[in-house]
Amino acid sequence: MTTTSALTDTPAQPSRQVRRAGARRAAPTRLTPEAQNRRLTQAILDTASAKAAAAAKAAALAKAQLAEAEVQAWLKDMDARLTVIFAHPEENLGQIEEQLARSVKEPLRLLAQRAAQVKANAVACRCPECRGQLTQQRWLSRTIHSRFGPLTLWRRYGFCPHCGEWHFPADYALGLGRKAPASPYVQEISALLVSKMPAEQAVLVAERLGLDLSRCGLHQEAHRQGLKAEQWRSQFVGQLDTWEQIQLVASAAAEGPPTQPFTLVIEIDAWDIRERDNWGKTKELRAAGQKLDRWHWVYMATVFRLDHRGQTAGNRAVITQRGYAATRLGLEALSAQLYREALARGLCQAQLVLVIADGALWIWNLAKDRFPDARQQLDLYHAEEHLWAIAHDLYGNGTPEAQAWVAPLLQQIRDDQTVAVIAALTELKPRLLEAQHKKVQTQIEYFEHNAQRMKYKEGLDARKACEEGKATEEQKQLAKRPVGSGAIESACRQYQCRFKRTGQFWTTAGDEALMCLETLWRNGRWQELYPHAKSSATLN
Ligand SMILES: [Zn+2]
C-alpha cells in the first residue's frame, strides 16, 4: 500500500459563527490600518496558495487507495469498538452491526472521494455539448453529499468560445448536475424515500439506515428528482410524435421469443387530491365571489397482459408485470402516458385489448379515441352497485325486501340480460314518487349507456366450468379475464396511501413530480434515471 497523502480530508468544518468567534479572539486589539491591510493581504495570499496546493495535489492523484496509516487507524478503531461490545454482555449482534458500519464509514468516505477525484482527473477538459477544447482552464472544488458523508472534489473547468458557456466536464462524467448538492446515490435514495413517505419520516428512516439526509434538504432533493423524472417521461411519451416512431416503439415491444396470443387489459379510474392553490388568499377570494375548489382529479390507468396475471399459493391474484400511468395534469396527459405504456406492453401484438372501468363518460371517450378496436367492459361490481342503490332506496338499507327485489335483477345482469333489467326498472316508474322516479330514471340511463359494455355471461360460465373441471381450452382462457376493475382500484388506493394522508395539502408541481417518480419506480424504469441502481442489482 502506498502512502497517498490525504486530499482535503478535513473532518466537518466548524460552523461559520464558531470561525468568526475564533477570528475575533485571535485578532490583536490594536493594529494600524497599514498593518491591518498587510495582514488581510497575507491571509488572502495564504488561502490562495493553500487552495492551489490542494488543487495540485488533487490533480496529481492517479490511484484511489488508503494509506497504510489510515488502514491501521481504521483497524484500531474497529478493534476498540468491538472490545467495548465484548465487555458488555447485554450488547447483541445489533450493536456489532451498528458499530462496524460506523467504523467503516470514514475509510469508505476517503476512498469514494479519491476514486471520484481519479475519475474527474481522467475527464478531458472539453465542452460536453460541442466537444470543443475549453479555454481559460482553472480548478474549483465542490463538496458533494454522498452515501458515506461529504466528499470534496477538485474539477478542471473552462470556457467554450463556441457555445459561450463555462463548463465543468467532470461533473457530467460523475453524474452530478450543475447544481446538485447530492451524489447520484443520495439523489436516488431521496427520490425513493420521499415518493414513499413524507419527508420528515424519510429523514428518520434514512438515519436508521446510516444516511444523514437532513443535510441535503431531502424534500427539495426529492422534488428536483421528480422534475428530472418528469423530463424523462415527456421524452419517453414524446417518442410518439410521428407514425414512424410509433412503429418503432411497437416493434420494440415485439422483440424476444414469440409468445402465445394474449389479451391486453387496460383499466382506468380517477381519485381526487387536495392542493393548496391560492393558499392564504381564501378570505380575499371568497369575498370576491370566487368559488374555491381545492380538490382536483388525479387520473390513473394500469395496463397488463392477461398471461402475466397469476395466483399466489393463497389464491390471491397477482400481476407479475404491469404498467401504470398517473397524472394531475389532465386527461390529455393521461391519454398520452397510457398509450405509450400500452405500446411498450404489447398493444400492437395483443389478440384482444380489453378496457375495463366504471361508467364514467370520460373513460369511454378516451378508450374510443386511443384504443378504437378495444373491447369495452363495464366493471361488474359498479353495475351491481347501481341496482343495490335502487333497492335500498325503495325498500330500505339492508332489508330482506331489498334483497328479494334485487336478486333476480343481479342474476339478469350476470346473464347479459341488460334489456330485461332496463324493462323492469321502466315498469317501476309509474308507481313511484317524483323523487324516486328521478333516481330510477338516472339508473335506467346508466344501464342504457353501458348496455353494450355489459357482457359477463361467457366469462362467468367459463369460471363455473373451470370450478367443475369441465372447461374447454377456450373456456380456461376466458375464465382468466377479469370482470371488474379491481386492479386499477387497488392501484389508486396504493397511491392514495402516500398522496392522500390526513392533513396533507399539495401543489400541482409538487404532487406531479413525486407521482412521476412513484410511477417510474412501479413501471420498472427506475434505472433510466439512476443507472447505478441497475448495476447494483446485477452485480450482487
Ligand atoms: Zn461548446
Side-chain angles (χ1 to χ4, degrees), residues 343-414:
L343 271 184
R345 292 181 193 264
L347 178 67
C348 295
Q349 290 78 35
Q351 192 183 37
L352 171 74
V353 179
L354 184 62
V355 178
I356 311 177
D358 62 26
L361 193 62
W362 64 267
I363 294 179
W364 304 124
N365 287 340
L366 187 156
K368 205 172 100 190
D369 177 39
R370 286 289 187 175
F371 313 106
D373 300 325
R375 177 172 158 169
Q376 299 182 358
Q377 182 177 301
L378 183 74
D379 168 61
L380 174 63
Y381 309 105
H382 271 88
E384 292 184 337
E385 262 176 29
H386 282 253
L387 281 181
W388 275 108
I390 306 177
H392 291 150
D393 215 44
L394 294 178
Y395 299 101
N397 252 348
T399 59
E401 289 82 1
Q403 168 78 38
W405 177 81
V406 84
L409 295 173
L410 293 178
Q411 191 52 50
Q412 282 176 333
I413 284 191
R414 290 172 170 247

Side-chain angles (χ1 to χ4, degrees), residues 318-478:
V318 282
I319 302 165
T320 52
Q321 295 175 38
R322 68 194 275 196
Y324 297 84
T327 186
R328 230 306 264 136
L329 304 180
L331 278 175
E332 274 299 309
L334 175 79
S335 174
Q337 286 170 32
L338 170 60
Y339 185 62
R340 180 67 183 85
E341 205 54 48
L343 271 184
R345 292 181 193 264
L347 178 67
C348 295
Q349 290 78 35
Q351 192 183 37
L352 171 74
V353 179
L354 184 62
V355 178
I356 311 177
D358 62 26
L361 193 62
W362 64 267
I363 294 179
W364 304 124
N365 287 340
L366 187 156
K368 205 172 100 190
D369 177 39
R370 286 289 187 175
F371 313 106
D373 300 325
R375 177 172 158 169
Q376 299 182 358
Q377 182 177 301
L378 183 74
D379 168 61
L380 174 63
Y381 309 105
H382 271 88
E384 292 184 337
E385 262 176 29
H386 282 253
L387 281 181
W388 275 108
I390 306 177
H392 291 150
D393 215 44
L394 294 178
Y395 299 101
N397 252 348
T399 59
E401 289 82 1
Q403 168 78 38
W405 177 81
V406 84
L409 295 173
L410 293 178
Q411 191 52 50
Q412 282 176 333
I413 284 191
R414 290 172 170 247
D415 289 340
D416 294 354
Q417 293 172 14
T418 315
V419 179
V421 172
I422 294 170
L425 295 180
T426 313
E427 248 172 57
L428 271 180
K429 281 204 304 186
R431 290 183 273 138
L432 299 174
L433 299 169
E434 197 185 335
Q436 284 178 329
H437 192 283
K438 245 186 182 166
K439 281 185 189 169
V440 170
Q441 183 54 36
T442 310
Q443 304 299 8
I444 290 174
E445 283 164 18
Y446 175 82
F447 287 117
E448 281 174 349
H449 285 145
N450 288 298
Q452 288 311 309
R453 307 184 182 107
M454 296 172 66
K455 305 275 185 253
Y456 308 111
K457 191 172 187 320
E458 205 180 21
L460 293 171
D461 283 350
R463 286 183 184 197
K464 208 169 151 200
C466 284
E467 277 165 27
E468 290 165 354
K470 295 184 214 158
T472 61
E473 274 314 303
E474 195 192 355
Q475 279 182 316
K476 280 180 192 164
Q477 293 308 313
L478 272 174

Side-chain angles (χ1 to χ4, degrees), residues 85-92:
I85 291 170
F86 296 145
H88 290 83
E90 75 283 4
E91 298 206 340
N92 61 23

Side-chain angles (χ1 to χ4, degrees), residues 127-132 134 160-164 167:
C127 171
E129 269 134 50
C130 71
R131 306 300 305 147
L134 298 178
C160 175
H162 184 255
C163 302
H167 286 292

